[in-house]
Amino acid sequence: MTRKLELVLQLEVVLLPSLMESLPAEVILHIVTFLEVLDIVRLTQVSKRFYLICRDNESWRNTSFETSPWESDRRSRQTLARAAVPVPDPRVLEIQRRAAALASSNSAPKTATNGAKETVENPRSPDSSAESERIRALANWDPSYPNEKVDWYGEYIARHGPISTSWLQQPTIREGSTDETHEIRGMALHHDSNGSRVVAPLDDGSVCLWELGHGISSDNSNNQRKGAIIGRSKAGLLSFSDGSNSDELYYLYPQKKIANVGVAECLSVDSVRNKAYFTVHKGLHEVDLNTLQISHYEKYPFMISALSEATFPTPLTVGSTHSLHLHDPRRSMNACWSDASCTDRVDNVAKFPASSRPKNDFYGLLSGDEFASPFAPLFHPGPLAIHNVSSAGTSDASSGEIYVAGRFPSLLIYDRRSFPKLRNTIHSGARLCSLTSVPYPFRSLDDRDLTPQAVHQAKSKPGKTLIACGEYNGKGLLEMYGLSPEDNSSLAVPGSAQSLTYKNRVSASESKLLSVAAHGTRLVVSDGDGSIRWMERDGSTLVRRWNINQYEGSEKIGIFRSSSTEAHGDVARKLIPVNLGRTDAQADSDELLIWTGERVGVLAFKNRPQFGLEDWEERVETAEEKIKRREERIYSETMRRALEKQANEVRFVRGLGAGVRGF
């Protein structure tokens, strides 16, 4: 008997794979739906056919929906609603069932096939009603829009996978026998066919470049150097003069560190022209990223506090303390201070301070005289964020609107074609510090219970959504505004449609929100407590949260807020998705750039950091140091698990044995 059993098992091992391979893809996909997520991932490694079947986009969309907090809340509401309805007496239900059976027996006889068919076609049957309710809920939850390409497998990982942070190589300078670390004063992204790079100014006035990889070329050397410094200019490149003469040469103090003004929004990169724009006090520096030299400099009448996105040939919007200006990059291509080349003219001027310069166009702003470049005066000082939104039907932001937010109660809207005339305002009442937008119409929370056809119709309407974050009465604020297209006269102009407005002043954050960005099908915000929150596009439903100061590789929060923390008390002052502005094959990366005010990190949904200090240090770690580091890591992991177990026990006891696992 044992021998026969062994033969049967061996036969199953041989024939089962071939039988599975012969099944249709639809049947295999239906079987896969009964597996756990981890088992599905393992099944993708069996063969190429199983890989394609298990990576079915629609299947992962359904899995993301079933495990979403939105669906969990909906089921909780349904459970509470059913509990509120009184349950009838079982004896009454039995009488009603028998009466219905007696009435059906007096009618014409039905075959088993007809009865089964009626059960399928009857819309009032329990199975059909539950399935229709699920389809309705899925349509209302789905954050994607028609014609939007979404990798739901990657979305599921971004919503439920582990999180790790890799910090870029910190720039240092040799001071005697020690290395002094420089602070990073901002960040921006630069893209080309070779990949992505981080561009940032340092506190010594230099410009630094880091490699991020993600290139479409066949060379993998860029990916191997990910996170490393690949270029740095000389110190003092971004400096200004302290002299009383406003026309005095700004490049006089190369040893002086730049002023910490407008640290979050005063940096913009034009990937088309390979130019970066930096602001120091009143000066706008245009730096050539190929040579890391200043190619143009322009001085403004007031201190610059905000810059818009740099998208050639769209003029750059410069926000100073009391005015807005348009900086056309095409003008700077012909504006040289001397007859020398643009890349060398800084050194030439440094040798001859009395060399001729074109008259400042903004001299008339202070003197009252006429000058060529238009400007928009601000009655409330302090713009903090400037965002360009293109008009409907075009991807060129030069024909769209300019949205300005800051230390004033309203959003200011300018039309680039009629600048500097103020087009409209949107009252907020809060202090907004970050702006972004998504190229899809806004859906309010009142549209949660629409039919699938109504949802598709609402998503197919033209329009965009403006998203702002900041502070209101000491708490975080997230605002969303539906922007109507200009070519639809039946809709109001941006700012007047108050019904297309949502303000989350309750559950956004307990502290001020510092930055907001569109991250896949989600919105991501950072607050003053160091937390990063991913939310649905409705601006209300929390998908997940993570604190940048907690233990690497651990996302769960223990009994004392975090199971283990580092020595840093960092906050994410600015967030930038790595795929922002990319349209190539590598644009599906879910990595997120984080700037803390001193350093820059790459947040990825992976088990462990992609790079670290050991990748930049030349010193070889000894065997004793490796053993000690391993013991410290094991001890930290053990303590983290113990604290998490204790926290779970506390939550269980707090639920009085009812199985409540959350607070």
Side-chain angles (χ1 to χ4, degrees), residues 94-109:
E94 180 64 20
I95 294 174
Q96 293 177 352
R97 186 186 65 81
R98 293 187 178 184
L102 181 62
S104 61
S105 63
N106 295 330
S107 60

Side-chain angles (χ1 to χ4, degrees), residues 571-633:
V571 295
R573 304 181 66 172
K574 189 174 183 180
L575 304 173
I576 300 180
V578 173
N579 61 358
L580 181 66
R582 300 201 65 173
T583 58
D584 51 49
Q586 298 292 334
D588 58 348
S589 173
D590 281 328
E591 294 178 350
L592 188 70
L593 280 182
I594 303 173
W595 175 58
T596 66
E598 298 178 354
R599 54 180 182 164
V600 175
V602 180
L603 185 149
F605 301 101
K606 300 182 182 297
N607 291 321
R608 58 182 61 87
Q610 305 175 66
F611 48 84
L613 295 176
E614 60 275 5
D615 297 327
W616 327 129
E617 295 179 353
E618 298 180 358
R619 184 181 62 86
V620 180
E621 190 177 23
T622 62
E624 292 78 6
E625 292 174 340
K626 290 182 179 180
I627 295 175
K628 183 179 179 181
R629 182 166 56 87
R630 182 174 177 275
E631 292 176 351
E632 292 176 351
R633 184 174 67 252

Side-chain angles (χ1 to χ4, degrees), residues 209-250:
L209 302 178
W210 290 265
E211 180 63 56
L212 283 185
H214 304 290
I216 61 177
S217 61
S218 59
D219 186 11
N220 294 328
S221 59
N222 293 338
N223 294 328
Q224 295 175 357
R225 295 182 299 164
K226 189 173 182 178
I229 296 177
I230 59 174
R232 183 176 172 183
S233 70
K234 56 185 177 181
L237 183 69
L238 307 177
S239 302
F240 63 93
S241 171
D242 287 339
S244 58
N245 186 3
S246 60
D247 291 333
E248 189 176 356
L249 184 65
Y250 72 96

Side-chain angles (χ1 to χ4, degrees), residues 144-166:
S144 62
Y145 282 78
N147 301 325
E148 181 183 9
K149 296 181 179 180
V150 178
D151 179 17
W152 284 107
Y153 177 74
E155 276 293 322
Y156 181 86
I157 295 177
R159 291 169 179 263
H160 303 280
I163 296 178
S164 64
T165 305
S166 308

Side-chain angles (χ1 to χ4, degrees), residues 34 59-60 103 125 147 167 197 265 269 274 347 371 413 418 441 471 482 533 536 558 592 612 629 642:
F34 295 95
S59 176
W60 282 105
S125 63
N147 301 325
W167 299 101
R197 279 156 295 281
E265 296 295 340
V269 172
N274 292 328
D347 296 333
F371 57 92
I413 307 175
S418 59
E471 178 186 9
R533 302 166 184 258
E536 299 286 5
L592 188 70
R629 182 166 56 87

